[in-house]
Amino acid sequence: GENVEQHPSTLSVQEGDSAVIKCTYSDSASNYFPWYKQELGKRPQLIIDIRSNVGEKKDQRIAVTLNKTAKHFSLHITETQPEDSAVYFCAVLTQGGSEKLVFGKGTKLTVNP
Amino acid sequence: EADIYQTPRYLVIGTGKKITLECSQTMGHDKMYWYQQDPGMELHLIHYSYGVNSTEKGDLSSESTVSRIRTEHFPLTLESARPSHTSQYLCASRERASYGYTFGSGTRLTVV
């Protein structure tokens, strides 16, 4: 089955700095890669996603890049703010008979004021 | 408002009790999922459904069962709760033509 590795598990940055979280996956047929943000005590929420036919997607301060050849994708957050502090999960949609999201183990991002 | 709702939000029960965690969505989504989230944050798929009368076990072995008699409703049942079942349970759904999941707010279960 699909295996998703996410790094780092924790990340601490100063307000205004950039943060980068990386994920690798194993199934080259996978074609959908979302990122979820989960604030303390709240539900995971989709913040950005990318499909395999593009290499990069941006939405204001967040961006995702995809390298299908290397089977890795990354989340980039620029000009970080304290409200960006949360746990971030990458995910990969499995292919074949059962379409379901396989999640990375999560990255706890702390933005220090 | 169209959303996905989970009840109860918090539950503390004794060992051996039978419990049902409720999940309902008002978005008309075909596909629904149950994830178990451990204290270390990781999300494990325990059950999923592609529509009415369709249920499948997920990647993580679970002693729970699910049913899907109506499109909007996907309850999860534990016949005999144990302390090892203590966790947060998240329900999610998505529409057929979209890949993005919408998550419920979760049920935090504690078995004592």
Side-chain angles (χ1 to χ4, degrees):
Chain A
E2 178 69 86
N3 184 42
V4 180
E5 300 277 343
Q6 182 173 346
H7 298 281
S9 57
T10 60
L11 180 59
S12 182
V13 300
Q14 290 298 122
E15 184 176 359
D17 288 350
S18 295
V20 180
I21 303 170
K22 299 181 179 181
C23 287
T24 60
Y25 60 98
S26 57
D27 186 357
S28 57
S30 297
N31 60 9
Y32 175 70
F33 310 91
W35 286 89
Y36 287 80
K37 174 184 180 182
Q38 186 176 25
E39 297 177 69
L40 188 64
K42 296 190 176 180
R43 68 176 89 180
Q45 292 198 305
L46 179 68
I47 56 170
I48 195 167
D49 57 12
I50 192 167
R51 303 200 182 191
S52 59
N53 56 345
V54 297
E56 182 175 4
K57 183 176 178 180
K58 289 186 71 173
D59 182 3
Q60 299 182 3
R61 294 187 298 107
I62 60 173
V64 56
T65 59
L66 171 65
N67 184 327
K68 281 222 74 178
T69 303
K71 291 186 284 187
H72 68 71
F73 58 111
S74 301
L75 177 71
H76 304 255
I77 306 174
T78 59
E79 301 172 27
T80 54
Q81 301 166 4
E83 51 265 39
D84 293 329
S85 296
V87 177
Y88 292 81
F89 293 94
C90 65
V92 177
L93 187 72
T94 63
Q95 296 300 300
S98 59
E99 280 188 342
K100 52 188 187 288
L101 286 180
V102 177
F103 287 85
K105 292 185 177 182
T107 296
K108 183 176 181 181
L109 173 65
T110 302
V111 180
N112 301 299
Chain B
E1 180 182 343
D3 204 348
I4 182 166
Y5 300 94
Q6 288 187 246
T7 56
R9 186 75 177 87
Y10 300 94
L11 180 62
V12 180
I13 61 166
T15 298
K17 298 290 187 184
K18 177 181 178 179
I19 58 165
T20 296
L21 308 185
E22 300 290 345
C23 176
S24 294
Q25 49 94 6
T26 57
M27 298 173 284
H29 290 175
D30 291 321
K31 304 188 179 187
M32 297 188 74
Y33 308 83
W34 275 103
Y35 283 84
Q36 184 173 338
Q37 185 169 35
D38 58 28
M41 310 177 298
E42 194 169 354
L43 291 158
H44 301 282
L45 180 67
I46 52 175
H47 296 283
Y48 59 101
S49 167
Y50 287 161
V52 172
N53 294 326
S54 153
T55 61
E56 301 285 344
K57 288 189 178 294
D59 304 318
L60 180 69
S61 175
S62 173
E63 293 161 347
S64 58
T65 59
V66 292
S67 62
R68 189 90 183 275
I69 299 172
R70 304 196 314 266
T71 298
E72 62 272 20
H73 195 212
F74 191 40
L76 181 145
T77 297
L78 278 166
E79 291 292 333
S80 180
R82 294 208 297 267
S84 60
H85 296 138
T86 295
S87 189
Q88 168 148 267
Y89 293 84
L90 287 162
C91 185
S93 71
R94 72 173 176 97
E95 61 180 334
R96 187 188 300 271
S98 167
Y99 293 143
Y101 284 18
T102 300
F103 280 90
S105 296
T107 293
R108 188 166 295 280
L109 173 66
T110 302
V111 184
V112 298

